[in-house]
């Protein structure tokens, strides 16, 4: 069966309905991520004229992977707007834009019929990862939108090779690269397609070369400003061997189980009614993006945060490819007369796909699935993220009050986001996300890749040399005061010499908890 691209005269009703459902879904799963506050601290310092610094007076460090997003937050802070509200609003808008961009890709690039486009809209509206991360304050979904839009523009069989579309498409790729470094993976994939023969080959190569010059400029900016070729967070989170790859593979397997397996019935429909005469160029490129991101995520060891964050950028493309595979069956089932059996089969497969996807956004998932190891989970993960942000906000208020009147007060902690943004303290990071020395040279008690991603490297002597006022080793509120924390013998000796264990009784109103909070405070006689 041969089909030609359909003109996108208007966004179909299914996409508008899906957009409304997606908005409600995003509200249901909304919550600022702890990591978003890292970007906000950098943004506020940048807006105030202090440069790309984490702590005032220190050297610039790229302790984030979202350069463009930090600039957006800094601009918001500069004009007196709330970076939190601006980034959440833009994230939700990007989620809606992703639905419409995917519909455009389905119609123009994959030439899908109305039923398949309706399936895409429904699955994206039901996608917990897309909804949760759109309202997180992070760049995940804006990056996803930019990638999807770039593919929709550049792979259009009729207009993709025209000079205006080449400029627009590669401009979107450049913005995606500024938003997350993985945009360079997309550029590499599209650069290979630019080599394909055809009348517009010269234009494609020229556009790809323009992006290459942009990437060289960005790399030079990074080296000149931060003294590194990649964001500091890459060095902090990687460096392991087989253990890191194994952890990434487990992460990918759980994503496949939770969010790809429910799509299997729809794919089986496509296998039952194949259409061998359809063009394969665009699906191959789209599949290359999915495979490329999958291999990258496995190589870097995956992630621990809720709703499989690292795989969000491939979800629209996966859904589009699934709909492409099932399109011949869906056309017969829903558009041809006398197709009762086919319609029932298609309806059942679509219902299973939607239900299997949406269930992970509900408390029911905890009763059906075990939580993935070294991950926060799906809906349980969203609840976990909310708990941590609320608890750390309470601790931020506590340390701000305790350090009142001391402009030199500092805090060493392994949770730097909320505490960094919502306190005036100098904040030292245990794990090197904003510390180039720890990120490059820090060690780990266990092989890298066997612990929580991004929380493995450390350098206790380096932290102790900075003589922090407070040393935060827990965020728990306990029924009884907690004992002295456990460290290696040399670190333990120095801590006992220079610090005292303090307990205070705190109430966490948001989480509804009360108890004893323990931390170390520098002894007065060994103070600054």
């Amino acid at each position: 069966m041969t089909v030609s691209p359909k003109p996108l005269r208007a966004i179909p009703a299914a996409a508008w309905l899906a957009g409304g459902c997606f908005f409600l879904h995003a509200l249901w799963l909304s919550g600022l991520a702890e990591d978003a506050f890292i970007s906000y601290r950098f943004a506020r310092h940048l807006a105030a004229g202090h440069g790309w610094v984490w702590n005032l007076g220190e050297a610039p460090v790229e302790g984030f992977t979202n350069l463009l997003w930090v600039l957006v937050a800094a601009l918001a802070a500069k004009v007196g707007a709330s970076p939190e509200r601006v980034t959440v609003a833009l994230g939700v808008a990007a989620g809606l834009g992703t639905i419409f961009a995917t519909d455009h890709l389905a119609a123009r690039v994959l030439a899908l019929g109305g039923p398949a486009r309706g399936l895409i809209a429904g699955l994206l509206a039901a996608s917990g990862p897309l909804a949760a991360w759109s309202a997180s304050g992070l760049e995940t979904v804006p990056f996803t939108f930019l990638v999807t839009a770039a593919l929709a523009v550049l792979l259009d069989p009729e207009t993709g090779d025209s000079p205006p579309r080449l400029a627009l498409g590669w401009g979107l790729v450049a913005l995606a690269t500024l938003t997350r470094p993985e945009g360079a993976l997309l550029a590499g994939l599209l650069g290979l397609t630019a080599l394909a023969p055809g009348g517009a080959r010269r234009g494609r190569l020229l556009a790809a070369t323009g992006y290459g010059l942009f990437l060289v400029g960005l790399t030079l900016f990074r080296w000149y400003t931060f003294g590194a070729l990649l964001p500091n967070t890459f060095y902090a989170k990687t460096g392991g061997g087989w253990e890191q790859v194994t952890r990434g593979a487990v992460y990918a397997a759980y994503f496949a189980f939770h969010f790809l397996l429910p799509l299997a019935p729809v794919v089986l429909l496509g296998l039952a009614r194949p259409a061998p005469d359809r063009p394969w160029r665009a699906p191959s490129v789209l599949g290359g993006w999915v495979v490329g991101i999958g291999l990258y995520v496995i190589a870097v060891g995956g992630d621990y945060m809720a709703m499989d964050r690292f795989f969000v950028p491939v979800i629209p493309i996966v859904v589009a490819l699934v709909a492409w595979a099932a399109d011949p069956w869906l056309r017969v089932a829903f558009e041809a007369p006398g197709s009762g059996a086919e319609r029932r089969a298609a309806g059942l497969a679509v219902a299973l796909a939607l239900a299997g996807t949406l269930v992970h956004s509900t408390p029911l998932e905890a009763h059906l699935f075990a939580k993935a190891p070294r991950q926060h989970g799906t809906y349980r993960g969203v609840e976990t993220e909310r708990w941590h942000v609320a608890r750390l906000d309470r601790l931020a208020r506590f340390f701000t009050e305790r350090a009142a009147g001391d402009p030199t007060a500092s805090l060493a902690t392994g949770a730097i986001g909320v505490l960094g943004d919502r306190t005036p303290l100098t904040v030292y990071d245990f794990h090197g996300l904003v510390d180039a020395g720890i990120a490059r040279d820090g060690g780990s008690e266990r092989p890298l890749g066997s612990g929580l991603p991004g929380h493995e490297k450390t350098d206790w002597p380096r932290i102790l040399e900075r003589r922090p006022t407070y040393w935060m080793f827990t965020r728990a509120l306990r029924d009884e005061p907690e004992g002295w924390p456990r460290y290696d013998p040399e670190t333990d000796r120095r801590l006992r010499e220079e610090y005292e264990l303090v307990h205070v009784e705190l109430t966490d109103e948001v989480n509804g908890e009360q108890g004893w909070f323990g931390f170390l405070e520098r002894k007065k006689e060994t103070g600054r």
Side-chain angles (χ1 to χ4, degrees):
M1 181 178 65
T2 302
V3 292
S4 59
K6 292 187 175 182
L8 196 68
R9 295 188 178 91
I11 297 174
W16 287 114
L17 177 60
C21 293
F22 172 82
F23 182 78
L24 296 176
H25 196 178
L27 288 180
W28 168 249
L29 297 179
S30 64
L32 288 169
E34 219 275 310
D35 278 14
F37 294 90
I38 299 176
S39 298
Y40 298 152
R41 179 174 172 112
F42 276 106
R44 294 186 207 279
H45 285 167
L46 186 62
H50 301 300
W52 302 91
V53 298
W54 174 251
N55 289 317
L56 301 186
E58 294 184 352
V61 59
E62 193 174 5
F64 45 84
T65 52
N66 51 4
L67 183 67
L68 181 60
W69 205 237
V70 172
L71 286 171
V72 169
L75 178 61
K78 188 72 174 178
V79 301
S82 164
E84 293 92 334
R85 292 181 179 178
V86 169
T87 53
V88 168
L90 289 176
V92 174
L96 294 169
T98 299
I99 293 176
F100 300 137
T102 311
D103 180 78
H104 183 102
L105 183 147
R108 296 290 306 162
V109 176
L110 298 177
L112 300 186
R117 291 168 66 184
L119 172 65
I120 290 171
L123 287 173
L124 292 181
S127 173
L130 191 67
W133 288 104
S134 70
S136 69
L138 279 174
E139 79 292 342
T140 307
V141 175
F143 174 73
T144 302
F145 165 72
L146 290 169
V147 167
T148 307
L151 289 168
V153 169
L154 292 174
L155 295 181
D156 191 305
E158 294 184 1
T159 63
D161 286 342
S162 66
R165 290 305 184 96
L166 286 171
L168 173 60
W170 279 98
L172 290 169
V173 176
L175 289 175
T177 306
L178 282 172
T179 305
R180 284 200 64 85
E182 295 93 322
L185 295 177
L186 176 64
L189 176 65
L190 292 170
L192 292 176
T193 68
L195 299 174
R201 185 170 184 264
R202 181 178 178 182
R204 294 196 300 267
L205 290 174
L206 183 62
T209 301
Y211 171 86
L213 295 175
F214 154 79
L215 187 60
V216 169
L218 177 60
T219 303
L220 290 175
F221 165 78
R222 277 203 168 99
W223 182 260
Y224 177 79
T225 305
F226 306 111
L229 296 177
L230 295 170
N232 188 68
T233 49
F234 174 83
Y235 302 104
K237 293 182 178 182
T238 60
W242 180 247
E243 291 84 359
Q244 180 174 298
V245 174
T246 301
R247 186 181 65 195
V250 171
Y251 180 81
Y254 271 92
F255 169 73
F257 177 70
H258 289 150
F259 293 105
L260 300 187
L261 187 60
L263 308 180
V266 179
V267 175
L268 291 176
L269 289 182
L271 296 177
R273 191 185 295 271
D277 57 339
R278 289 191 293 176
W280 280 80
R281 175 181 174 271
S284 298
V285 175
L286 297 176
W289 169 245
V290 175
V291 172
I293 286 293
L295 293 176
Y296 167 79
V297 170
I298 291 172
V300 300
D303 186 36
Y304 70 93
M305 302 185 81
M307 286 285 186
D308 300 287
R309 174 176 61 138
F310 278 8
F311 277 112
V312 172
V314 304
I315 287 176
I317 306 306
V318 167
V319 168
L321 289 174
V322 167
W324 178 79
D327 185 54
W329 182 288
L330 294 174
R331 286 175 185 266
V332 171
F334 292 104
E335 294 179 347
S339 56
E342 289 86 350
R343 181 169 298 184
R344 286 191 293 273
L348 178 59
V350 169
L352 289 173
L354 290 170
T357 299
L358 187 60
V359 69
H360 292 287
S361 296
T362 72
L364 185 62
E365 62 89 16
H367 303 286
L368 298 175
F369 305 98
K371 189 172 75 68
R374 294 188 292 274
Q375 295 179 44
H376 283 170
T378 52
Y379 181 75
R380 277 170 290 179
V382 172
E383 291 186 311
T384 299
E385 302 281 350
R386 290 168 172 167
W387 183 92
H388 281 291
V389 169
R391 173 57 51 83
L392 293 169
D393 180 69
R394 178 64 187 93
L395 297 180
R397 285 185 279 126
F398 165 74
F399 280 115
T400 298
E401 294 168 1
R402 192 169 186 88
D406 182 4
T408 66
S410 57
L411 168 69
T413 176
I416 62 171
V418 175
L419 288 162
D421 185 61
R422 294 189 172 175
T423 71
L425 282 68
T426 297
V427 176
Y428 301 123
D429 176 22
F430 284 158
H431 303 297
L433 294 176
V434 294
D435 186 316
I438 296 177
R440 300 291 188 90
D441 304 320
S444 174
E445 294 181 359
R446 295 186 295 172
L448 283 174
S450 57
L452 196 67
H455 292 71
E456 298 178 279
K457 292 183 180 180
T458 193
D459 187 338
W460 301 124
R462 182 180 177 87
I463 300 295
L464 284 165
E465 286 172 5
R466 296 175 173 182
R467 302 164 63 86
T469 310
Y470 309 108
W471 186 286
M472 184 178 134
F473 61 87
T474 184
R475 64 191 72 175
L477 300 182
R478 303 190 182 278
D479 293 336
E480 299 291 336
E482 192 169 7
W484 191 269
R486 300 175 65 178
Y487 293 94
D488 65 87
E490 177 58 23
T491 302
D492 181 75
R493 181 190 66 79
R494 288 195 58 182
L495 285 173
R496 289 179 183 271
E497 286 180 357
E498 301 175 20
Y499 290 84
E500 57 185 352
L501 179 61
V502 179
H503 291 96
V504 294
E505 195 168 12
L506 293 179
T507 299
D508 180 346
E509 301 87 353
V510 176
N511 289 323
E513 299 178 17
Q514 182 177 0
W516 293 96
F517 170 62
F519 63 99
L520 302 182
E521 186 169 23
R522 195 163 189 83
K523 295 177 181 177
K524 301 300 182 184
E525 59 269 24
T526 60
R528 296 175 183 267

